[in-house]
Amino acid sequence: LRGKKNAQASANNGNGNEYSLKSCENGMRQPEIGASMDIIIVGSGLVASALAYTLGKDRRRVHVIERDLTEPDRIVGELLQPGAYLRLIELGLEEIDAQRVFGFAVYNDGKKTKLPYPLENFHPDVVGMGFHHGRFIQRMRKKASSLPNVRLEQGTVTSLLEDNGNIKEVQYKCKGSHQGITAHAPLRIVCDRCCSNLRRSLCNPEVDIPSCSVGLVFEQCQLPYANHAHVILADPSLIMFYPISSTEICCLVDIPGQKVPSVSSGEMAYYLKTKVAPQVPPELNNAFLAATEKGNIKSMPNRSMPAAPHPTPGALLMGDAVNMQHPITGGGVTLALSDIVVVRNLLRFLHNLNDSPSLCKLLESFYTQRKQVAFPINTLAGAAYKVLCASLHPARKEMRQACFDYLSLGRTFSNGPLALLCGLNLCPLSLIFQVFVVGLYAVGRSLLPFPSPSRIGSVARLILGGLGIIFPIINAEGVRQMFCPVATLQSYLRGPPII
């Protein structure tokens, strides 16, 4: 039976290199010594599972090692923007259990505006999606493991073994076993999520935690605007509601800083009832209080980390292991799926993964190409969070109000920013243009009805405040990629040679 499975796997891979398997004591399967795999993926979250399926379809032999294969329980990464859904379609993964989302409803100081996604030029199926994170991951894992040349294994990767600067092997332990196992493959892709233990050997991580998200799930509740994500510009930060199933709505409350009230002591419930509930729309207030009373409150730090990889032969970082941004825009999933498309396309250039020089060029090319998508997504997420949070600073308050009023002007004005936010337009120059236009609108508001000395001083503070927000983000992401996109595009088009 084992020989039959090996023959079938070899046939599906389109080459003559057979690999054999044996069973761990706990029933999991592991490679025999000398087994031949093409790619080892560390982790099995959204990025890793989708990547395993994508590469498996391209007849690569993929070994996925995941610390815990039970259904994950997270409160972020559950809103799929239309740009991300387009990439799911491109990867053949669009069959997900999700609720359609057509845009946003934004509330600010008693006013509200409806912001539909600019989807006029796209197929009617292309919309945003709200989904249950854990169920989505399990569906992805099942789809990946359905391919005969993709193997999911539960185990903990302890280290990447190096030889003269090259990553050669992966060391891990099977669940229930204390014996170390060494796995071999020409390429190792690390996707072990935001708390990666392996990233330090492959990049220079500078993780910032600007805030924490507190999550609640409502049941049997209707949003004021059906099939729309709702964003409240509250004090001190944002509150968001979006559907994750036909009967469930997720609420995320952003709390600035790293320290949040304790859930176990009841401080969090008190904070939500007294500070947050009065700012929730009346239609959702009863459901919010009921969910708070129920007590199933989850919290999670919101991490931000610019990508700073140093290309290492034999290994690649992807997903939250290499780059994180604030979840306010929901851009993390868009970027992750875009990275998978880039990796898939690059690997199609390289038939022989044992060609180390070409593989090294491919890895460098990946980090260059992904910047074209990562830069606008990361910059927009960082800037939007700082602008839309409540502040006592007059210039920051004016920026927040100006953004809301600008978006409320109608689709002629809101389509540009929304196209960037939802991943339908990822051109860095478009981001620069939109920042300039919104800034010009804010300056014009401050000068009207006529430019008195006090108004000119207010404009100066507004400009300095805006530059103080956007410049550090641009600097962290990379000035050359922002202001010299042609140079980056040349590297993008150059890519690795066809082998």
Side-chain angles (χ1 to χ4, degrees):
L1 178 61
R2 184 167 58 198
K4 183 177 180 180
K5 287 183 179 179
N6 291 335
Q8 182 183 5
S10 178
N12 279 280
N13 285 318
N15 55 50
N17 295 327
E18 295 188 3
Y19 60 93
S20 57
L21 306 172
K22 67 179 181 180
S23 297
C24 289
E25 293 179 0
N26 63 353
M28 303 301 293
R29 300 187 347 168
Q30 69 179 71
E32 291 273 15
I33 295 176
S36 176
M37 301 296 284
D38 293 322
I39 298 165
I40 295 171
I41 298 177
V42 180
S44 183
L46 188 151
V47 179
S49 300
L51 180 65
Y53 176 75
T54 301
L55 298 181
K57 282 200 309 178
D58 280 0
R59 297 188 176 186
R60 300 290 188 182
R61 293 164 296 177
V62 182
H63 182 190
V64 181
I65 306 171
E66 165 61 36
R67 180 180 57 82
D68 185 2
L69 287 172
T70 59
E71 183 175 305
D73 187 13
R74 291 186 64 190
I75 59 170
V76 296
E78 296 181 317
L79 181 60
L80 198 74
Q81 300 288 12
Y85 189 63
L86 279 173
R87 285 161 180 81
L88 275 184
I89 294 173
E90 185 176 353
L91 296 171
L93 293 165
E94 68 274 19
E95 296 177 3
I96 62 173
D97 180 20
Q99 298 298 301
R100 292 160 67 86
V101 176
F102 299 109
F104 293 91
V106 184
Y107 293 71
N108 182 40
D109 289 336
K111 298 179 181 179
K112 55 187 177 182
T113 184
K114 189 177 178 182
L115 304 174
Y117 289 132
L119 300 172
E120 294 80 4
N121 298 324
F122 295 89
H123 190 277
D125 289 341
V126 178
V127 292
M129 293 285 181
F131 58 90
H132 186 281
H133 182 86
R135 292 196 288 266
F136 181 50
I137 296 299
Q138 292 300 86
R139 187 181 292 263
M140 288 279 206
R141 288 171 176 172
K142 184 176 180 181
K143 199 168 180 69
S145 61
S146 68
L147 299 174
N149 50 320
V150 175
R151 179 157 45 91
L152 267 68
E153 181 173 7
Q154 187 158 311
T156 301
V157 175
T158 56
S159 62
L160 303 174
L161 302 182
E162 225 177 282
D163 181 19
N164 293 326
N166 294 355
I167 304 297
K168 294 291 187 181
E169 299 167 336
V170 169
Q171 185 121 34
Y172 70 103
K173 293 180 181 179
C174 221
K175 183 182 178 182
S177 172
H178 298 290
Q179 183 180 0
I181 303 168
T182 301
H184 308 264
L187 176 60
R188 289 137 290 269
I189 303 178
V190 177
C191 308
D192 54 346
R193 300 185 280 280
C194 58
C195 297
S196 173
N197 294 320
L198 305 175
R199 67 160 67 103
R200 290 192 177 277
S201 60
L202 301 172
C203 74
N204 300 313
E206 294 184 8
V207 181
D208 181 35
I209 302 179
S211 66
C212 295
S213 287
V214 176
L216 299 165
V217 175
F218 307 165
E219 295 180 354
Q220 305 300 331
C221 176
Q222 297 296 320
L223 290 167
Y225 294 94
N227 299 106
H228 281 70
H230 289 55
V231 181
I232 293 86
L233 305 185
D235 181 14
S237 190
L238 308 175
I239 308 169
M240 179 176 282
F241 303 87
Y242 51 87
I244 57 174
S245 76
S246 58
T247 60
E248 296 171 303
I249 294 171
C250 181
C251 170
L252 288 183
V253 178
D254 186 85
I255 301 179
Q258 300 183 22
K259 187 177 181 180
V260 298
S262 169
V263 174
S264 58
S265 68
E267 292 178 9
M268 179 63 76
Y270 179 78
Y271 176 87
L272 295 176
K273 290 176 185 177
T274 58
K275 180 70 174 178
V276 179
Q279 303 181 75
V280 171
E283 302 94 327
L284 297 170
N285 195 269
N286 289 337
F288 182 87
L289 291 172
T292 304
E293 285 288 345
K294 192 175 180 180
N296 188 20
I297 303 171
K298 302 170 187 173
S299 65
M300 179 176 179
N302 295 322
R303 296 174 174 87
S304 175
M305 185 184 78
H310 41 82
T312 305
L316 188 69
L317 275 174
M318 288 185 65
D320 286 349
V322 68
N323 187 195
M324 293 179 280
Q325 59 290 119
H326 196 279
I328 180 176
T329 61
V333 181
T334 306
L335 179 54
L337 295 174
S338 174
D339 283 354
I340 293 172
V341 173
V342 172
V343 167
R344 179 200 64 181
N345 293 343
L346 286 173
L347 285 176
R348 285 177 175 174
F349 281 96
L350 193 61
H351 304 309
N352 179 16
L353 293 181
N354 288 300
D355 183 347
S356 297
S358 295
L359 182 59
C360 190
K361 290 181 181 178
L362 180 143
L363 301 183
E364 292 177 0
S365 186
F366 165 74
Y367 291 128
T368 301
Q369 292 191 31
R370 74 178 301 276
K371 269 292 183 184
Q372 291 297 302
V373 175
F375 198 99
I377 287 178
N378 293 338
T379 304
L380 187 62
Y385 179 70
K386 291 187 177 181
V387 169
L388 297 180
C389 277
S391 174
L392 296 176
H393 194 283
R396 292 279 293 272
K397 291 174 69 174
E398 175 61 24
M399 278 187 264
R400 173 161 141 159
Q401 187 63 48
C403 285
F404 177 80
D405 291 345
Y406 180 83
L407 294 173
S408 302
L409 291 175
R411 301 192 68 168
T412 302
F413 299 89
S414 65
N415 277 358
L418 281 176
L420 285 162
L421 184 145
C422 68
L424 297 175
N425 178 9
L426 294 170
C427 175
L429 293 178
S430 294
L431 176 63
I432 296 172
F433 176 75
Q434 292 299 330
V435 169
F436 175 78
V437 169
V438 176
L440 190 63
Y441 174 79
V443 168
R445 279 167 43 96
S446 298
L447 290 175
L448 293 175
F450 57 88
S452 64
S454 62
R455 292 181 183 275
I456 292 174
S458 176
V459 166
R461 289 191 296 270
L462 183 66
I463 293 173
L464 290 174
L467 294 177
I469 289 173
I470 198 70
F471 273 7
I473 299 172
I474 289 175
N475 184 60
E477 289 296 323
V479 176
R480 181 180 67 87
Q481 287 84 351
M482 183 67 168
F483 293 104
C484 303
V486 174
T488 304
L489 185 60
Q490 289 173 349
S491 298
Y492 176 95
L493 295 174
R494 186 163 57 243
I498 298 178
I499 305 301

